[in-house]
Amino acid sequence: MEYRLIKWLEKRVTAPRFRHSISVLETVTELADRHGVNQAPLRMAALLHDCARELSHAELVASAEEFGLPVRDVDRMSPVLLHGKVAAEMASRELGVTDPAVISAMLWHTSGHPDMSLSDEVFFLSDVMEPTRPHDWVQQLRELARENVDRAVLMAIDINIAHLDNTGRIVDPDTFALRDLLRQNLHG
């Protein structure tokens, strides 16, 4: 099955995006194993999660609307937020993917969500910290993720919010909700 997904993905994304997806697959395999999470659905999600990432903003909104997905005001202001949801729908329609763990990982990998499972969090982190990511803070995040998934997700979210604020971009309200939930759970 993975071979079929790899071939499907290669036709839909650029070489750098393909390398990223393969790196996410490798990272999620290791991190899922470390935290006792079923890696099979996450490996599938790794190959599919960014299949809509290179659609234009207009194409993302149009695809979401065509698929009957909710399109919030924040999604219209920052359509990249839709790419995981559109990708999940594409995977369902074109490949018959129905596994809730695959779909959930794909849905929440961009902005996070307060309803994320441990499996979703492992996937979220794998996407952020895979080896092709060049950021200075990635190594620290990798070390933290090996020890404490919730703390690592909180670190990744805090970094992402700061980056979006500094570049004048919009932060998904789900990101704030997840951050607040993690802070409450970790700090009481």
Side-chain angles (χ1 to χ4, degrees):
M1 178 65 155
E2 275 187 13
Y3 178 78
R4 191 179 107 197
L5 295 179
I6 288 169
K7 290 302 176 191
W8 183 85
L9 180 65
E10 275 183 312
K11 296 175 187 172
R12 284 166 177 73
V13 298
T14 60
R17 182 80 50 206
F18 180 78
R19 281 191 300 275
H20 162 71
S21 295
I22 296 300
S23 290
V24 172
L25 181 137
E26 293 165 353
T27 303
V28 81
T29 300
E30 177 187 334
L31 196 59
D33 186 53
R34 176 148 186 103
H35 292 288
V37 171
N38 182 3
Q39 52 179 261
L42 300 183
R43 288 177 62 86
M44 183 180 286
L47 294 172
L48 300 173
H49 77 286
D50 273 352
C51 68
R53 180 64 178 85
E54 294 173 345
L55 296 178
S56 71
H57 287 179
E59 290 171 321
L60 282 167
V61 172
S63 294
E65 290 173 340
E66 177 185 330
F67 293 152
L69 300 173
V71 179
R72 306 165 299 168
D73 289 342
V74 69
D75 298 323
R76 292 187 190 286
M77 292 183 283
S78 184
V80 72
L81 294 172
L82 290 168
H83 83 270
K85 295 167 186 165
V86 170
E89 191 65 29
M90 288 171 63
S92 176
R93 290 172 183 243
E94 294 182 32
L95 299 168
V97 174
T98 59
D99 185 331
V102 176
I103 300 298
S104 185
M106 293 173 69
L107 288 175
W108 309 130
H109 84 273
T110 304
S111 58
H113 192 276
D115 295 334
M116 287 171 66
S117 65
L118 175 60
S119 178
D120 296 332
E121 289 182 331
V122 164
F123 189 80
F124 177 87
L125 288 170
S126 298
D127 184 49
V128 172
M129 64 183 210
E130 56 87 5
T132 69
R133 299 292 194 188
H135 312 294
D136 296 339
W137 46 264
V138 170
Q139 187 55 42
Q140 182 183 358
L141 182 64
R142 287 181 190 129
E143 291 168 11
L144 185 56
R146 286 184 195 100
E147 302 307 317
N148 188 306
V149 171
D150 283 344
R151 288 189 188 285
V153 170
L154 182 57
M155 177 185 168
I157 287 172
D158 285 341
I159 290 167
N160 188 43
I161 289 171
H163 170 73
L164 292 171
D165 282 346
N166 289 338
T167 56
R169 293 189 288 178
I170 294 174
V171 178
D172 190 311
D174 289 339
T175 304
F176 287 121
L178 176 58
R179 180 201 61 191
D180 295 347
L181 177 67
L182 289 170
R183 284 182 177 173
Q184 180 182 6
N185 290 345
L186 291 167
H187 306 297

